[in-house]
Structures are given as structure tokens and as C-alpha cells.
Amino acid sequence: MRKLNLWYIPAAFFAVCCILNLYGCLTEYGLERCVKPALLPLLCVTTLAYLLEGGGQPDFKKTALLVCGQLFGFAGDTMLLGKGFPFFAGGIGLFLIGHIFYISLFGGQSWKGMRPWAWAAAIPVCLAATAALALGIGVSGVMLLPMGVYGFVLMLLIFSTLAGVLRRGGATWRILLCGALLFTFSDALIAVRNFGDLSPFMSGFGVMSTYLAAQVLLAVGGIRLVRQEAI
């Protein structure tokens, strides 16, 4: 019996919305704001449809972690549409929770059996990278602590995928590492936009293009991880 491949439908809508969103970043600001809340729900539906149509029984826990990461990304996207500090802080907080779900999924696989000395080396490196990122962006004052916490979680996200590349290899972990790095770069651009000076092109198109690429890579790598494909 031929598979229906119904996941193509939400994937096509997602692709169209990505194009409209990026076009809106370059031209009409209202278009970008209208399309943005639909992006992550469509990616989430595509992920679920692909997993359900792939044959076999996908791991419920791993699937839930991946989908929750995407849904909190949707909540963060929606919150960041508002203007003012409460919306910015709320959006960052929601993304932080989403990152924790991603870390639970990726790190749960890549950190298995890791020696204590590796942790002893990794944590200071993550802290140093977070401090360097904050100083480079110019974060200071009351925002230093919350942005530092968020930056540290991002470093853990990168570490959770880098550990997979170094310890296990395979295309899945490389895809996830690229996604984590792009996510961090996109968030760094947002931070520069809010705490420093960033060109309109990079603050709009640059942020969204790298963010969408990151979410797609994390979704593709996450699907492969859930289905145990070439990891």
C-alpha cells in the first residue's frame, strides 16, 4: 500500500509562510507580524505527521520533548511580537524553556556514559563562552543575570549536540549542531538589536532567516534522533 505522505501538506504551508515572513522582513513589517505566529505550529504539525507516517511506533517521550521545544518556540515568537520589556522578557523565558526540552532530548542521548572529568571541563567552558558572548554584545545592568542564564542554556544546547558529534558521529548530530549554532547566532543578533547597534537588514531578515534555518535543522535532526536514523 502506497504511503500518503500527508506531511507534505503542512510542510508546504510552512515553506510558503517562511517565504512570506522573510519577504515581510524586507518590505512590509505588518506581513511579517501576521505570518510569524503560524510558523512553529506548522513545523510542529509537519514533525508529528512525518513521525506518525514513518512506520513503526515513535518513542513517545522523545517525540514529546521535540514537540514541546517547538511549541515553546511558538509561544516565544508570539510573545516577542509585543513591544516593551515585559514582552521581551517573557519571550526569552519561553524560549529558554523550549531550549531545556531540546537539551533533554539531545543531551539524553549524547551525554550517556560521559565521564565526570568531561563535565568538569565542559561546565567552565560553557560559563566562559557565556561571559564572552555577554561582554561582546554589551549586556549590562539588571539584564546581565537573566541574559547570562539564557546564554548559559544556549551553550548547554550547543554542548549537548557537540557531544553527540564527538562521541557518536553521524549526520544526525552534525545537523543538530548546525541547528544549535544557528539558533545561538540568531539570538545573539536579537541581543545586539536590543542592547547595541544593528542594521535594519540584520535585525529583521538576518534574525529570522537564521532562526528558521535553526528550527528546521533541529526538527530534522530531532526526527532522525526519535527514529534512530543513522545516529
Side-chain angles (χ1 to χ4, degrees), residues 124-158:
V125 170
C126 288
L127 288 171
T130 303
L133 186 63
L135 290 173
I137 292 170
V139 181
S140 60
V142 296
M143 290 302 297
L144 188 57
L145 179 59
M147 293 306 296
V149 172
Y150 183 77
F152 180 69
V153 172
L154 278 175
M155 294 304 110
L156 285 180
L157 177 63
I158 292 174

Side-chain angles (χ1 to χ4, degrees), residues 185-206:
F185 181 72
S186 178
D187 282 345
L189 290 179
I190 294 175
V192 172
R193 181 178 66 190
N194 285 275
F195 300 104
D197 185 23
L198 190 65
S199 68
F201 175 80
M202 288 305 294
S203 66
F205 186 86

Side-chain angles (χ1 to χ4, degrees), residues 56-219:
Q57 187 68 29
D59 186 289
F60 175 79
K61 181 180 178 181
K62 293 178 183 177
T63 302
L65 290 172
L66 178 59
V67 169
C68 284
Q70 294 172 342
L71 290 178
F72 273 94
F74 156 67
D77 278 341
T78 305
M79 182 68 74
L80 288 175
L81 289 175
K83 294 184 178 180
F85 176 76
F87 291 99
F88 174 74
I92 293 300
L94 290 167
F95 271 115
L96 186 147
I97 297 172
H99 292 329
I100 291 173
F101 280 111
Y102 283 144
I103 291 168
S104 298
L105 173 60
F106 308 149
Q109 301 298 305
S110 64
W111 296 341
K112 283 182 178 178
M114 196 164 69
R115 301 295 178 85
W117 64 264
W119 282 105
I123 296 300
V125 170
C126 288
L127 288 171
T130 303
L133 186 63
L135 290 173
I137 292 170
V139 181
S140 60
V142 296
M143 290 302 297
L144 188 57
L145 179 59
M147 293 306 296
V149 172
Y150 183 77
F152 180 69
V153 172
L154 278 175
M155 294 304 110
L156 285 180
L157 177 63
I158 292 174
F159 176 57
S160 69
T161 57
L162 179 60
V165 172
L166 296 177
R167 302 183 70 222
R168 302 180 184 278
T172 296
W173 290 109
R174 293 187 180 91
I175 292 170
L176 290 172
L177 176 60
C178 289
L181 290 171
L182 277 175
F183 214 129
T184 302
F185 181 72
S186 178
D187 282 345
L189 290 179
I190 294 175
V192 172
R193 181 178 66 190
N194 285 275
F195 300 104
D197 185 23
L198 190 65
S199 68
F201 175 80
M202 288 305 294
S203 66
F205 186 86
V207 167
M208 286 307 301
S209 59
T210 52
Y211 168 70
L212 290 173
Q215 288 285 20
V216 170
L217 288 171
L218 292 179

